[in-house]
Amino acid sequence: MSENIESVLNETRLFEPAEDFVARARIKAVDLEALHRKAESDYEGFWGDLAREEIDWHKPFTKTLDDSRAPHFGWFTDGLLNISWNCLDRHLAQRGDQAAIIFEGEPGDTRRISYRELHAEVCRFANGLKAQGVQKGDRVVIYMPMIPEAVVAMQACARIGAIHSVVFGGFSAEALRDRVNDAGAKMIVTSDGGHRGGKVVELKQAVDKAIDHGCPSIEKVVVFKRCGNDVVMRKEDVWWHDVIAGQADQCDPEWVDAEHPLFLLYTSGSTGKPKGIQHATGGYLLNAIVTNKWVFDMHDGDVFWCTADVGWITGHSYVAYGPLAIGGTEVIYEGTPTVPDAGRFWKVCQDHGVTIFYTAPTAIRALMKLGETWPEKYDLSKLRLLGTVGEPINPEAWMWYHTVIGKERCPIVDTWWQTETGAHMIAPVPGAMPTKPGSCTRPLPGIIADVVNEEGHPVGANQGGLLVIKKPWPSMLRTIWGDDDRFRKTYWGQFGGKYYLAGDSARRDEDGYFWIMGRIDDVLNVSGHRLGTMEVESALVAHPRVAEAAVVGRPHDVKGEAIVAFVICKGERPTGATAEAMLKELREWVSQEIGPIAKPDDIRFADNLPKTRSGKIMRRLLRSIARGEEITQDTSTLENEQVVLQLQGKA
Ligand code: WT7
């Protein structure tokens, strides 16, 4: 058996950025090379200089990198700062009246919030938090819809040195309770409800249930009135408007040292109990700033829209902090892409003049499935840059994004990173290099990534292997809250603490471009060939009738593993004889596209794939289905539980 992961995808298209894009780009090819050279020749100097240029320090740091306690690295350790000051106060003189946030609720209500107004709201709420007994270092869980107050609550915590832990508003009461208890949070900030999918999501009710099931550390629950749905105010509850009533619109920031924990964010990973990823203040802020400049090329006048919820890391780095830290203007939209119809995202882009749009491949594929007539109804001419994150984007979806949304004008930045990395790691710098559909391109300056085999030796061009980061970087996670052992084992265990193990498989092509092949745990082992799931899925989706596909392995006597594909077709779900014919055709198709070895043994058709709330395919569930096992996983968070029956062939 070969130890390497084989790569079978062969994508050769190359897209150069348009001349006018390059002309005004912050970073051009020569600048990018200079940044890389500096990072290579003087790693600490590179990050130290950036930290001095990009961050306003209350007390400057003297030490850039402390590696004396590896794998616990410290950055800018003796510097003092406040991230909320860096996001708000420092812009007031020049940008007080500029829109910081343009908000659109799902029902269509809009608000424009200037930097001055946002600063005042954050200060009032920060003062209110203090009055409610929240102190530096206390944990505050934020369980909110996607409304400006979610950002206000995060910024207010940061302003007073409290540690926030945002829990996605789509999570159940049980998931909320587990995270509250793991963090030992003192307070929950929530709202009566939020508008999603044309309905009111009853957030306060879920909080009540979580508390009834035991959240002993919670002292107060702050409730923002968003929807006006009925809520029962109980002894620990206080209205947001009462918390801020009479509070001053100025609040001196708490100067914290750079390593002070800024937030915890729980990520489930593929197995086990959720991990509370802990980020520090200074290093996190630095990478959030530079990536907004380098990758999103944000300029004055841009309107940036990242569709991610604040419940995910993307909503932290590219909604709550990064765009504000550089004085940008951003859109926040509360709801789903298909309310009242499938044109909503494009209408929001048109109505608010969005110039930079950042979303997930799962959303792109879903919108692609709904057809081109929706984006064609709206004026998307202001768009100049498009981005994706969350999973590998298959070349088919990339091309659709490029032609139908970007009208072949807008570079696409495919950004590889993780909750743990805090900010983009491998991503295009769009004015400085060509892109390739499906590749996240090259590591950013100062990010030393590589693809290695099980022994830690670099593999050759186009050979699959393990993605590692070989040097610490400022926005790296600091630990797993309450479980430092797991932190050491998960990320630093494999190569004797030398490299950070990302948990993804990848290959690097002859131009040094990275291609993510999927999670290591998902690698298929067919007749001694190790294949990434991504490549087989890409081949399936390249078929004109296929909208989405997921493949998993099932034990096989001879081959080791057989490939089972779950396929969503454009238009109607094939059944009976049509399904039989389609199955044959797709097996043949994959065989043609990547070779007989990758031919799925079994294909199941359904209307949807089971996904986590962040849009990742639930492969563990699919593996159980493929093996005909009983489903023991929690499927209550699925949007459509019926799909499980379909995938099992029972409906
Ligand atoms: C995992 C991290 C980073 C914010 C959203 C997800 C996958 C992420 C890409 C990409 C291929 C990607 C990886 C990674 N992933 N971005 N551009 N291309 N794969 O954060 O939930 O921490 O997930 O998402 O597998 O390890 P997360």
Side-chain angles (χ1 to χ4, degrees):
M1 191 189 89
S2 81
E3 63 177 8
N4 291 342
I5 302 162
E6 289 175 41
S7 177
V8 285
L9 184 80
N10 182 26
E11 170 61 56
T12 51
R13 286 169 287 195
L14 192 76
F15 293 85
E16 297 284 350
E19 257 170 50
D20 55 336
F21 188 96
V22 175
R24 68 183 293 254
R26 279 177 182 268
I27 310 280
K28 306 190 198 331
V30 284
D31 309 315
L32 181 60
E33 287 326 306
L35 286 167
H36 278 297
R37 267 201 311 277
K38 168 133 195 226
E40 275 152 34
S41 62
D42 176 15
Y43 192 69
E44 280 192 44
F46 171 79
W47 286 118
D49 287 349
L50 280 172
R52 275 180 286 269
E53 284 159 25
E54 301 289 355
I55 294 176
D56 283 8
W57 295 91
H58 182 66
K59 176 178 158 263
F61 60 91
T62 59
K63 176 133 189 76
T64 297
L65 171 62
D66 173 6
D67 56 5
S68 60
R69 295 178 309 114
H72 297 100
F73 297 93
W75 286 89
F76 324 121
T77 43
D78 58 348
L80 286 179
L81 79 162
N82 183 282
I83 192 169
S84 162
W85 173 277
N86 275 274
C87 291
L88 302 169
D89 304 56
R90 69 164 164 171
H91 303 311
L92 291 181
Q94 279 199 4
R95 304 178 182 276
D97 295 322
Q98 180 194 316
I101 294 174
I102 299 169
F103 170 68
E104 181 166 318
E106 195 179 75
D109 52 318
T110 60
R111 274 160 74 191
R112 177 191 182 280
I113 304 170
S114 68
Y115 270 92
R116 194 181 330 285
E117 289 161 342
L118 186 61
H119 173 262
E121 285 202 39
V122 168
C123 287
R124 269 195 291 269
F125 195 61
N127 287 326
L129 287 177
K130 284 198 277 191
Q132 298 295 324
V134 178
Q135 294 174 352
K136 181 179 175 186
D138 285 345
R139 275 80 60 210
V140 174
V141 163
I142 297 173
Y143 185 65
M144 298 276 274
M146 202 44 199
I147 57 176
E149 281 70 20
V151 174
V152 170
M154 294 163 81
Q155 288 275 347
C157 286
R159 196 162 185 94
I160 64 172
I163 304 168
H164 60 68
S165 175
V166 182
V167 175
F168 174 52
F171 277 143
S172 65
E174 284 67 35
L176 173 63
R177 181 204 52 198
D178 292 347
R179 286 160 175 76
V180 164
N181 291 339
D182 190 84
K186 198 175 198 177
M187 175 186 273
I188 300 175
V189 180
T190 188
S191 72
D192 51 358
H195 297 284
R196 264 197 90 76
K199 290 182 279 221
V200 170
V201 180
E202 304 259 3
L203 294 169
K204 172 62 168 66
Q205 225 173 66
V207 172
D208 293 350
K209 196 167 158 199
I211 289 183
D212 289 343
H213 292 185
C215 293
S217 57
I218 293 297
E219 293 170 13
K220 287 267 164 59
V221 175
V222 178
V223 187
F224 180 77
K225 192 179 235 161
R226 163 67 183 145
C227 300
N229 50 310
D230 282 340
V231 297
V232 182
M233 293 300 275
R234 316 190 314 176
K235 64 175 190 323
E236 63 276 9
D237 300 340
V238 44
W239 286 108
W240 173 297
H241 50 256
D242 291 332
V243 169
I244 59 170
Q247 293 295 350
D249 59 6
Q250 297 288 330
C251 169
D252 286 341
E254 177 78 30
W255 304 110
V256 299
D257 53 65
E259 283 298 306
H260 182 69
L262 174 64
F263 63 84
L264 310 180
L265 185 61
Y266 285 84
T267 170
S268 39
S270 46
T271 46
K273 160 171 177 280
K275 300 174 274 197
I277 303 299
Q278 181 182 322
H279 278 284
T281 305
Y284 173 80
L285 174 60
L286 181 59
N287 282 92
I289 290 175
V290 297
T291 52
N292 268 285
K293 289 189 172 177
W294 294 345
V295 179
F296 291 134
D297 188 44
M298 240 190 268
H299 286 72
D300 278 345
D302 270 321
V303 178
F304 175 69
W305 181 22
C306 163
T307 67
D309 191 277
V310 286
W312 316 122
I313 188 70
T314 314
H316 284 57
S317 309
Y318 303 106
V319 179
Y321 293 112
L324 299 174
I326 65 168
T329 294
E330 63 177 335
V331 168
I332 291 181
Y333 168 61
E334 180 183 27
T336 49
T338 48
V339 170
D341 60 43
R344 186 63 180 268
F345 266 16
W346 316 125
K347 183 170 191 311
V348 170
C349 285
Q350 168 190 280
D351 291 355
H352 302 296
V354 172
T355 60
I356 305 172
F357 178 69
Y358 188 38
T359 196
T362 172
I364 297 168
R365 283 192 299 267
L367 293 163
M368 180 172 153
K369 193 178 165 199
L370 298 165
E372 293 170 22
T373 45
W374 291 108
E376 274 162 9
K377 277 192 186 170
Y378 298 97
D379 176 6
L380 301 177
S381 61
K382 289 235 170 77
L383 285 175
R384 62 179 204 89
L385 180 64
L386 303 172
T388 91
V389 60
E391 53 179 324
I393 179 164
N394 48 295
E396 236 20 63
W398 196 101
M399 287 306 297
W400 186 85
Y401 204 25
H402 174 69
T403 50
V404 178
I405 306 306
K407 314 279 189 250
E408 297 176 14
R409 256 185 307 107
C410 309
I412 294 179
V413 288
D414 174 354
T415 59
W416 179 86
W417 59 297
Q418 307 176 295
T419 304
E420 292 87 341
T421 69
H424 302 156
M425 302 293 279
I426 309 180
V429 175
M433 59 206 273
T435 51
K436 303 182 186 187
S439 167
C440 52
T441 74
R442 291 165 54 194
L444 291 171
I447 303 302
I448 316 302
D450 205 348
V451 181
V452 301
N453 64 17
E454 303 279 339
E455 282 80 52
H457 302 303
V459 299
N462 289 316
Q463 288 195 298
L466 310 175
L467 180 57
V468 295
I469 315 291
K470 293 181 152 177
K471 274 181 192 275
W473 66 99
S475 63
M476 65 201 304
L477 80 163
R478 296 307 195 258
T479 187
I480 294 174
W481 181 261
D483 199 349
D484 197 57
D485 261 0
R486 192 172 176 199
F487 164 74
R488 290 166 176 273
K489 282 196 193 110
T490 309
Y491 306 108
W492 305 95
Q494 176 119 5
F495 303 109
K498 234 170 61 183
Y499 303 150
Y500 169 84
L501 180 74
D504 283 350
S505 56
R507 75 178 159 100
R508 196 168 30 185
D509 69 17
E510 55 287 347
D511 298 326
Y513 277 42
F514 284 67
W515 299 75
I516 306 297
M517 296 161 69
R519 297 293 296 168
I520 296 170
D521 306 342
D522 297 335
V523 168
L524 305 161
N525 197 336
V526 186
S527 308
H529 300 270
R530 305 204 338 120
L531 305 172
T533 48
M534 157 66 189
E535 300 190 320
V536 185
E537 288 161 7
S538 263
L540 283 165
V541 179
H543 187 280
R545 276 222 51 210
V546 174
E548 204 164 11
V551 308
V552 298
R554 174 176 71 202
H556 186 281
D557 288 347
V558 181
K559 297 197 281 190
E561 274 188 317
I563 300 179
V564 182
F566 296 91
V567 170
I568 314 305
C569 285
K570 293 179 187 151
E572 226 160 86
R573 171 166 70 105
T575 49
T578 345
E580 281 299 312
M582 189 72 189
L583 188 143
K584 280 213 186 77
E585 189 176 327
L586 287 179
R587 280 169 49 86
E588 211 30 59
W589 173 268
V590 174
S591 188
Q592 294 287 328
E593 291 274 303
I594 49 182
I597 184 74
K599 205 150 101 173
D601 295 80
D602 185 4
I603 300 180
R604 314 263 180 95
F605 299 99
D607 293 320
N608 270 304
L609 290 174
K611 300 230 178 96
T612 64
R613 291 293 177 133
S614 61
K616 283 197 174 30
I617 294 163
M618 295 173 77
R619 287 174 196 284
R620 257 193 311 156
L621 181 66
L622 290 179
R623 266 195 290 268
S624 303
I625 293 173
R627 291 167 190 199
E629 296 165 359
E630 218 177 295
I631 308 296
T632 53
Q633 289 99 334
D634 175 19
T635 55
S636 63
T637 55
L638 283 178
E639 290 186 29
N640 176 3
E641 289 187 67
Q642 181 72 10
V643 304
V644 175
L645 293 174
Q646 275 179 8
L647 295 167
Q648 289 174 315
K650 295 182 187 162

